[in-house]
Amino acid sequence: MKRYILFTVYCLLFTVLAAQGLSEQKIIQKMTASAEKIKTVQCNFTQTKQSKLLKEAQVSKGKMLCQQPDKLRWEYTSPRPSTLVLEGNEARLLKGTDQGTKSKFIGGMARMIMNSVAGKCLTDSKTFSVTAKEMPTEYVATLVPQKKDMKRLYSKLILHYNIKQETVTGVELHEKNGDKTLIELHDIRINGN
């Protein structure tokens, strides 16, 4: 009798785990399929940086224009205007006084956003291990860096995908030092002029 109960419990656990795996894979497939249809994205964003070193969160606002496969304009409108343009592997700071390290950081972050919107990071197993779950109005994908350079900076990235809009609407960047950056995309226009 004990063997039968144990066997039944193992079968139920296996069924639950297998169902979760299929569900997770379907979520990733849906997110990737939607992203593949996107050729251009225009939106506004709010970026909130929470740091252990600062009492208050730093909030920046701006506009993003993205054209697949590799063009991005990331423009901060407040508190200090600056604009970063990515074309292929080239990043250029068009205006603003933040040069050097900050433009590299913004460039790296902007590339991650662009790859998130395009769904590229969900299927790149060499760069990220991905888990996904379904919430009432969104899918949430957690990406854990696999490459050394990314592992040094980030413990995980979390993508928020709005099921109704069929696009990423938020990205959380969790740094190794405990700092967190939340980028919320709003007023999203897909495949416009």
Side-chain angles (χ1 to χ4, degrees), residues 30 134-139 161-167:
K30 283 183 178 185
E134 185 173 2
M135 303 300 278
T137 60
E138 67 179 359
Y139 298 136
Y161 175 94
N162 185 294
I163 296 171
K164 200 174 197 177
Q165 293 178 351
E166 295 186 331
T167 189

Side-chain angles (χ1 to χ4, degrees), residues 2-173:
K2 286 182 183 179
R3 286 184 185 169
Y4 177 74
I5 291 171
L6 282 174
F7 177 75
T8 305
V9 169
Y10 284 127
C11 288
L12 286 171
L13 283 173
F14 178 76
T15 304
V16 168
L17 290 173
Q20 286 176 345
L22 288 173
S23 176
E24 186 172 276
Q25 195 60 32
K26 283 184 180 182
I27 290 169
I28 293 169
Q29 287 172 353
K30 283 183 178 185
M31 291 173 73
T32 304
S34 294
E36 287 173 355
K37 296 175 190 172
I38 296 173
K39 304 299 178 215
T40 64
V41 177
Q42 298 175 28
C43 67
N44 296 318
F45 67 84
T46 302
Q47 177 181 311
T48 307
K49 170 91 174 181
Q50 296 174 334
S51 175
K52 293 187 288 184
L53 301 174
L54 302 170
K55 288 183 180 179
E56 293 184 22
Q58 296 176 312
V59 178
S60 302
K61 295 187 178 200
K63 300 175 186 179
M64 180 188 82
L65 303 168
C66 178
Q67 181 179 355
Q68 295 302 330
D70 60 1
K71 292 181 182 178
L72 179 85
R73 179 183 176 98
W74 190 262
E75 182 178 351
Y76 287 96
T77 55
S78 72
R80 289 178 288 163
S82 63
T83 303
L84 179 83
V85 174
L86 296 176
E87 290 187 59
N89 291 327
E90 217 176 290
R92 292 179 289 138
L93 195 60
L94 296 182
K95 64 181 179 178
T97 56
D98 299 330
Q99 299 288 337
T101 308
K102 187 164 182 184
S103 69
K104 285 182 184 177
F105 172 75
I106 294 169
M109 188 172 56
R111 270 194 191 85
M112 282 191 284
I113 299 294
M114 186 168 66
N115 288 339
S116 300
V117 170
K120 293 176 187 174
C121 54
L122 295 172
T123 56
D124 183 2
S125 61
K126 290 180 182 177
T127 306
F128 295 106
S129 68
V130 180
T131 57
K133 62 183 177 180
E134 185 173 2
M135 303 300 278
T137 60
E138 67 179 359
Y139 298 136
V140 178
T142 302
L143 293 78
V144 176
Q146 300 299 300
K147 292 188 174 182
K148 287 182 185 178
D149 57 339
M150 287 280 282
K151 280 183 177 182
R152 281 193 304 254
L153 293 174
Y154 300 104
S155 58
K156 64 183 173 182
L157 288 78
I158 300 174
L159 303 181
H160 296 270
Y161 175 94
N162 185 294
I163 296 171
K164 200 174 197 177
Q165 293 178 351
E166 295 186 331
T167 189
V168 172
T169 56
V171 179
E172 296 177 35
L173 306 168

